[in-house]
């Protein structure tokens, strides 16, 4: 695959990461599932379907803060990602209803993510909700630099198009097409 082909695929699938409608991501790593994330995902799915809401619901990997699971991240176009912690069934209606208001359900907000440096690209989600700390201002994350699991919790680990959308495989394409053995 040539770098231009990869860039074309990236452009085709960028809406997987930046959809035009709200998206809800549920951390479905083993720590999340062990704390009830599978039940939260199922209830979110039921709620969205019953209310016929135009939202995307996706599974993600663990964001890395296992003691705060289940983690649910909400994307609203043009706004920062909002990460909710210790989400349970009774929180779902509040979280989803507050998506329409574009005002986070503050009782469960852990942090916000204005922008993210993926290993392969830089993405800006939005600037707002400054009353909530940035993810790297949380003491647990403040001394960390995410490298290997940088995408975990933010893209679907079972979706190759999510990875391509954030710039994945660019180094491979360059090595195969532009570098000498």
């Amino acid at each position: 695959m040539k770098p231009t082909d990869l860039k074309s695929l990236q452009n085709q699938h960028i809406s997987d990461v930046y959809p035009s409608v709200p998206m809800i991501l549920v951390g479905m790593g083993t720590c999340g599932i062990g704390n009830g994330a599978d039940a939260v995902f199922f209830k979110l799915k039921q709620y969205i379907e019953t209310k016929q809401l135009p939202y995307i619901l996706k599974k993600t990997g663990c964001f890395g803060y296992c003691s705060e699971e289940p983690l649910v991240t909400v994307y609203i176009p043009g706004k920062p990602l909002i990460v909710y912690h210790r989400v349970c069934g009774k929180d779902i209606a509040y979280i989803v209803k507050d998506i329409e208001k574009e005002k986070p359900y503050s009782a469960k907000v852990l942090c916000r993510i204005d922008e993210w440096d993926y290993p392969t690209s830089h993405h800006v989600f939005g600037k707002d909700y400054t009353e909530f700390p940035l993810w790297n201002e949380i003491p647990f994350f403040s001394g960390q630099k995410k490298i290997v699991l940088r995408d975990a919790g933010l893209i679907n680990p079972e979706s190759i198009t999510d990875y391509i959308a954030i710039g994945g495989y660019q180094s491979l394409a360059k090595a195969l097409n532009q570098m000498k053995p």
Side-chain angles (χ1 to χ4, degrees):
M1 175 172 286
K2 295 179 182 171
T4 54
D5 296 336
L6 193 58
K7 189 67 173 168
S8 176
L9 271 175
Q10 181 181 11
N11 291 336
Q12 287 174 21
H13 294 285
I14 195 68
S15 63
D16 294 349
V17 178
Y18 289 110
S20 60
V21 297
M23 179 171 60
I24 303 170
L25 309 164
V26 180
M28 297 290 283
T30 54
C31 56
I33 292 170
N35 283 301
D38 51 348
V40 168
F41 185 88
F42 180 73
K43 287 180 181 180
L44 272 164
K45 185 176 183 191
Q46 281 185 317
Y47 191 93
I48 290 167
E49 288 174 357
T50 301
K51 301 284 185 183
Q52 298 180 333
L53 299 170
Y55 301 161
I56 296 169
L57 177 63
K58 288 172 69 171
K59 297 177 181 180
T60 65
C62 174
F63 189 58
Y65 202 173
C66 300
S67 65
E68 296 300 313
E69 292 283 358
L71 292 175
V72 172
T73 303
V74 171
Y75 164 83
I76 297 172
K79 300 287 185 181
L81 298 177
I82 293 294
V83 181
Y84 295 97
H85 65 124
R86 298 184 181 177
V87 176
C88 61
K90 67 179 180 171
D91 301 317
I92 290 169
Y94 295 108
I95 291 170
V96 176
K97 286 178 183 175
D98 285 351
I99 290 172
E100 289 179 21
K101 299 176 194 171
E102 294 186 4
K103 184 154 177 69
Y105 172 51
S106 61
K108 290 288 182 155
V109 172
L110 174 66
C111 60
R112 74 182 198 277
I113 302 171
D114 291 353
E115 56 189 289
W116 195 256
D117 279 323
Y118 292 99
T120 51
S121 59
H122 181 90
H123 292 267
V124 176
F125 296 105
K127 305 281 186 193
D128 203 348
Y129 311 136
T130 56
E131 66 270 28
F132 304 115
L134 289 167
W135 77 276
N136 56 359
E137 293 172 343
I138 302 293
F140 177 81
F141 291 118
S142 65
Q144 297 181 27
K145 178 166 176 64
K146 289 179 170 269
I147 298 172
V148 175
L149 296 174
R150 185 80 171 168
D151 308 330
L154 298 174
I155 63 171
N156 181 347
E158 297 174 349
S159 171
I160 196 166
T161 58
D162 273 16
Y163 184 60
I164 290 169
I166 61 158
Y169 297 114
Q170 289 178 0
S171 296
L172 176 62
K174 180 180 178 184
L176 293 174
N177 294 286
Q178 299 172 352
M179 300 175 80
K180 294 180 182 187

